[in-house]
Amino acid sequence: MLQENIVETEGRKFRYLQRKGDGPTLLFLHGLSDSADQFSPIAAHLPEEWHLLAFDQRGHGGSWKPEKGYSPLDYSQDIKNFIDAVGINSLHIFGHSMGGRNALLFSTKFPRQIQSLILGDIGPDKNLEDIKATIDFFNSLPTSFNTEEEARSHLQKRKPGYSDTNIEILMKNLEKQDNGTLVWRYSKDACIQSVTESRSREWWEYLPEVKCPVLLLHVEDSSELSTDVAKRMIEEIPDIQYQPISNSGHNFQLEQPENAAREIQRFIETP
C-alpha cells in the first residue's frame, strides 16, 4: 500500500506516496490536473518488492503552487530536486500525459539519474487546438461543490464508465474548506499555464538526446497522441519499444491498471 509523505526541498513542499521495497525503484508522474493517487491501481499489480513513488507535481494536489513557472523544464527540475530530497541516486520513471513530457526532458537533463523511461500516451508535438480546448474545459468546470454527493455525481457524469473505486480516487483531488464546500486541489491557473507552455511549441529536439531505454505506451485512437506523431517518435528516440493500448481512454492507468502494470514490469525486468 502506498503511504502518504511530505518532503521539502529548497523551501518547496511536495506531497508524495511511497511503498518501500528492495527491488527496482519506479517513480510515477501524473498528468494535468491529476495527482499521485491515480497510480494506486497500477501499484497494486506490481511486485511487492518494488520501491514505488509518486508525487504531486507543482500546482497540483498537496504540493506547492507557485504563481508562475510551469514549463516542462520547470517540472523537470522539480523531478531532480525530489529525487535528491528522498535520497535516490537513479530510478525508472513512468510519466503519464503531462508527466511523460516532463520526464522526457528530465531524462535529457539528468541522464545519470534515470535507468529507463515509460511514456504514457504523450508526444513532443505542438498543439494549439489542445490549448484552447483545455482552457475551455477548465473554464467550464464548477469551482466548488456544496457536498461530497454533488462532487461525486459530477465526476460520475464526466466519467460514466469509471468504477466506484476510480471515482473515489478522483474524489481525492478535492479538499474540504472550512465552510464545508469542496474545491479542486490543483490550481486552475497552473493547469492553464502548463498546457500553454507545453503545447505552444515543439519539443522534438530533445528526443535524439534520450540515452536510456524507452517504452511508449500508446492508446489506440488517442485524443492526445496521434499515430503519425507516435511513428515519428519511434524513429527519433534511439532505444525505444512501442506498445499499443486497446479499448481504453487516455487515462489507461485507471482504466486498465493490470495491463499497464504488466507492460511496465515486462519492460523493466527484461534485459
Side-chain angles (χ1 to χ4, degrees):
M1 183 175 179
L2 296 168
Q3 301 293 326
E4 185 177 39
N5 301 271
I6 296 292
V7 67
E8 189 167 319
T9 171
E10 299 185 356
R12 302 167 178 178
K13 183 182 73 171
F14 289 96
R15 170 186 176 266
Y16 71 101
L17 305 179
Q18 179 172 227
R19 190 189 77 190
K20 293 185 178 181
D22 296 327
T25 301
L26 173 62
L27 172 66
F28 297 107
L29 297 173
H30 63 77
L32 189 71
S33 78
D34 292 332
S35 72
D37 300 280
Q38 294 230 347
F39 299 104
S40 296
I42 287 184
H45 293 287
L46 289 171
E48 292 185 2
E49 67 271 17
W50 281 27
H51 183 185
L52 305 179
L53 302 106
F55 78 93
D56 294 341
Q57 298 182 83
R58 64 168 63 195
H60 295 75
S63 292
W64 79 301
K65 298 175 176 65
E67 292 184 1
K68 59 183 180 179
Y70 289 96
S71 162
L73 293 168
D74 298 313
Y75 281 107
S76 68
Q77 184 63 51
D78 286 345
I79 300 169
K80 160 70 172 172
N81 294 343
F82 172 78
I83 291 172
D84 290 346
V86 296
I88 295 173
N89 293 323
S90 70
L91 40 54
H92 306 273
I93 298 180
F94 168 43
H96 174 254
S97 197
M98 177 193 76
R101 187 183 296 108
N102 298 341
L104 175 70
L105 269 66
F106 170 83
S107 73
T108 65
K109 291 179 63 180
F110 308 102
R112 294 183 179 180
Q113 290 188 276
I114 183 166
Q115 298 171 36
S116 72
L117 170 63
I118 301 154
L119 297 174
D121 205 40
I122 193 66
D125 53 314
K126 176 180 178 179
N127 192 330
L128 300 181
E129 291 183 1
D130 186 52
I131 296 174
K132 182 181 183 306
T134 303
I135 292 174
D136 289 345
F137 168 76
F138 283 112
N139 285 336
S140 70
L141 279 181
T143 56
S144 65
F145 303 94
N146 292 320
T147 64
E148 289 189 8
E149 290 73 21
E150 183 182 334
R152 189 173 288 106
S153 176
H154 166 81
L155 292 170
Q156 289 169 338
K157 290 177 182 178
R158 272 179 53 196
K159 302 291 185 181
Y162 275 28
S163 66
D164 291 343
T165 299
N166 283 344
I167 293 296
E168 292 309 307
I169 290 173
L170 298 184
M171 285 289 293
K172 293 182 179 181
N173 213 8
L174 292 158
E175 61 184 356
K176 185 171 288 189
Q177 303 296 287
D178 292 339
N179 63 5
T181 62
L182 290 92
V183 299
W184 302 107
R185 297 185 75 194
Y186 57 79
S187 162
K188 171 184 168 181
D189 289 342
C191 291
I192 290 175
Q193 287 184 55
S194 297
V195 71
T196 302
E197 292 274 1
S198 63
R199 287 296 210 180
S200 60
R201 58 153 290 183
E202 309 274 1
W203 302 92
W204 288 104
E205 70 268 26
Y206 290 91
L207 269 64
E209 302 301 318
V210 179
K211 306 303 181 186
C212 65
V214 176
L215 171 63
L216 176 59
L217 297 176
H218 181 206
V219 172
E220 293 182 347
D221 301 318
S222 170
S223 60
E224 297 293 327
L225 176 60
S226 71
T227 299
D228 288 343
V229 170
K231 287 180 178 178
R232 183 176 169 187
M233 292 172 69
I234 294 169
E235 294 173 354
E236 299 204 14
I237 296 176
D239 183 0
I240 186 170
Q241 297 180 34
Y242 174 82
Q243 180 61 47
I245 303 291
S246 305
N247 304 314
S248 179
H250 179 57
N251 292 324
F252 65 90
Q253 78 281 6
L254 287 176
E255 298 176 35
Q256 292 197 20
E258 187 172 1
N259 184 23
R262 182 171 57 251
E263 294 299 338
I264 290 169
Q265 183 176 354
R266 176 193 59 78
F267 174 67
I268 290 178
E269 291 185 344
T270 303

